[in-house]
């Protein structure tokens, strides 16, 4: 299973990735990004099964990214 993490705070990204590695070894973090633009590119490139998405990012809201990705193909 593949995951992408989109959050503008490095400690949050790192904590999510660490918790996933420790508790869910079947999940691979393919990318960690800090913006909607980078998140969109990562999702398109990696086609993740899971998306961990912050609600407020430097270039908009996490919901803006979801709209760009509609229809959503991940959990």
């Amino acid at each position: 299973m593949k995951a992408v993490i989109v959050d503008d705070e490095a400690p949050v990204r790192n904590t999510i990735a660490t918790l996933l590695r420790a508790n869910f070894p079947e999940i691979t973090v393919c990318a960690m990004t800090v913006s909607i633009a980078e998140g969109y590119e990562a999702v398109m490139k990696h086609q993740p099964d899971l998306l961990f998405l912050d609600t407020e990012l430097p270039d908009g809201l996490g919901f803006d990214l979801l709209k760009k990705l509609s229809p959503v193909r991940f959990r």
Side-chain angles (χ1 to χ4, degrees):
M1 195 175 270
K2 299 182 291 186
V4 168
I5 301 169
V6 182
D7 197 301
D8 59 331
E9 296 180 43
V12 174
R13 290 190 309 272
N14 294 332
T15 298
I16 293 170
T18 298
L19 289 171
L20 288 172
R21 279 191 293 273
N23 297 292
F24 302 96
E26 69 276 13
I27 299 174
T28 301
V29 176
C30 298
M32 295 194 294
T33 67
V34 300
S35 67
I36 291 169
E38 290 179 6
Y40 180 80
E41 289 179 23
V43 169
M44 297 308 290
K45 178 180 179 180
H46 298 288
Q47 298 295 307
D49 303 294
L50 298 168
L51 176 63
F52 292 87
L53 179 59
D54 191 5
T55 54
E56 293 184 26
L57 296 158
D59 56 347
L61 300 175
F63 296 106
D64 297 331
L65 176 56
L66 291 177
K67 287 178 191 172
K68 287 179 76 167
L69 296 171
S70 186
V72 174
R73 295 179 181 85
F74 45 80
R75 300 176 189 180

